């Protein structure tokens, strides 16, 4: 009997430790982790850049302020990360239903040399209609990436061409322009959609 009690306490202890480890992972490395302060994007109200959307309209940070924003950096020649993430975003927007109409959703190229306005228009047409494609001069792309604390680099390939390495997370901002959180690459939908709703809820709270 005493042995059973000891085993029971031991099992309970292991379960408690496992729970603590899970909570720790969630808060430090998992979906509940905050962005490190040094890498946290600045507010949209503090950014300054000028780009062009896929319909040839001039856009900037002021375009995004007033509605929650979901933004992703990539390029149209991207073989897997970009189409996968844009497909994920399309699925999240479908889950949101009419609420998706309340958001800005932008795909910002890190390869403006190849991603012209026409190229971006064709590419975003394969995904959810709410997604806008943004491109512009290299120096302006660098400015917006710096504000978002996103990174990218041109990488030569063996064929004499090049590809791009870039931040693969999705950025979420409140309607006020304040950074809310990030959605990691391949983050499960059950974690991603509540994060988006958090940005939407901040908009609603600010309006009351």
């Amino acid at each position: 009997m005493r042995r059973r009690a000891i085993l029971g306490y031991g099992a309970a202890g292991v379960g408690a430790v496992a729970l603590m480890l899970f909570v720790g992972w969630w808060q430090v490395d998992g979906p509940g982790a905050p962005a490190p302060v040094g890498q946290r994007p600045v507010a949209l109200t503090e950014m300054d850049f000028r780009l062009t959307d896929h319909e040839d309209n001039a856009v900037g940070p002021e375009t995004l302020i007033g509605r929650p924003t979901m933004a992703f950096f990539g390029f149209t020649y991207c073989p897997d990360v970009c189409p996968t993430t844009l497909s994920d975003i399309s699925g999240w927007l479908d889950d949101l239903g009419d609420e998706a109409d309340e958001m800005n959703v932008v795909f910002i190229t890190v390869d403006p040399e190849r991603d012209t306005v026409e190229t971006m228009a064709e590419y975003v047409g394969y995904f959810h209609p709410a997604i806008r494609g943004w491109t512009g001069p290299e120096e302006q792309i660098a400015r917006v990436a710096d504000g978002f604390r996103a990174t990218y680099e041109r990488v030569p390939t063996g064929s004499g061409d090049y590809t791009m390495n870039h931040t693969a997370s999705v950025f979420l901002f409140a309607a006020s322009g304040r950074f809310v959180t990030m959605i990691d690459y391949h983050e499960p939908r059950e974690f991603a959609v509540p994060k988006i709703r958090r940005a939407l809820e901040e908009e609603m709270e600010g309006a009351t």
Side-chain angles (χ1 to χ4, degrees), residues 40-123:
R40 188 180 298 274
V42 302
L44 293 171
T45 52
E46 298 176 24
M47 296 189 196
D48 182 19
F49 59 85
R50 290 293 173 265
L51 299 176
T52 304
D53 73 10
H54 70 271
E55 295 182 336
D56 209 25
N57 299 306
V59 292
E62 70 282 353
T63 308
L64 304 176
I65 297 169
R67 297 201 301 173
T69 293
M70 177 161 41
F72 172 67
F73 288 82
F75 62 114
T76 65
Y77 284 72
C78 182
D80 44 35
V81 173
C82 302
T84 297
T85 299
L86 289 170
S87 294
D88 286 344
I89 290 173
S90 296
W92 303 337
L93 293 171
D94 286 339
D95 282 356
L96 290 172
D98 291 341
E99 289 180 287
D101 296 335
E102 302 172 20
M103 297 197 74
N104 301 304
V105 188
V106 294
F107 170 56
I108 305 170
T109 185
V110 294
D111 185 18
E113 180 177 325
R114 295 183 293 194
D115 289 344
T116 63
V117 169
E118 294 76 15
T119 301
M120 292 293 277
E122 179 181 359
Y123 191 72

Side-chain angles (χ1 to χ4, degrees), residues 67-206:
R67 297 201 301 173
T69 293
M70 177 161 41
F72 172 67
F73 288 82
F75 62 114
T76 65
Y77 284 72
C78 182
D80 44 35
V81 173
C82 302
T84 297
T85 299
L86 289 170
S87 294
D88 286 344
I89 290 173
S90 296
W92 303 337
L93 293 171
D94 286 339
D95 282 356
L96 290 172
D98 291 341
E99 289 180 287
D101 296 335
E102 302 172 20
M103 297 197 74
N104 301 304
V105 188
V106 294
F107 170 56
I108 305 170
T109 185
V110 294
D111 185 18
E113 180 177 325
R114 295 183 293 194
D115 289 344
T116 63
V117 169
E118 294 76 15
T119 301
M120 292 293 277
E122 179 181 359
Y123 191 72
V124 298
Y126 294 114
F127 304 100
H128 194 283
I131 300 173
R132 313 289 296 175
W134 286 14
T135 187
E138 173 59 41
E139 66 273 14
Q140 293 298 317
I141 297 294
R143 289 177 72 114
V144 64
D146 182 63
F148 276 76
R149 301 298 188 258
T151 61
Y152 64 96
E153 63 175 338
R154 181 167 169 159
V155 180
T157 62
S159 63
D161 205 348
Y162 69 91
T163 187
M164 302 294 295
N165 285 343
H166 59 90
T167 297
S169 298
V170 175
F171 298 83
L172 288 171
F173 290 81
S176 64
R178 188 185 72 81
F179 172 66
V180 176
T181 189
M182 296 169 72
I183 300 173
D184 294 330
Y185 178 56
H186 268 329
E187 187 162 329
R189 181 175 299 198
E190 57 266 30
F191 295 149
V193 173
K195 286 184 175 182
I196 300 170
R197 291 192 187 281
R198 191 194 316 169
L200 286 164
E201 287 167 3
E202 289 202 15
E203 177 206 22
M204 294 171 60
E205 289 173 2

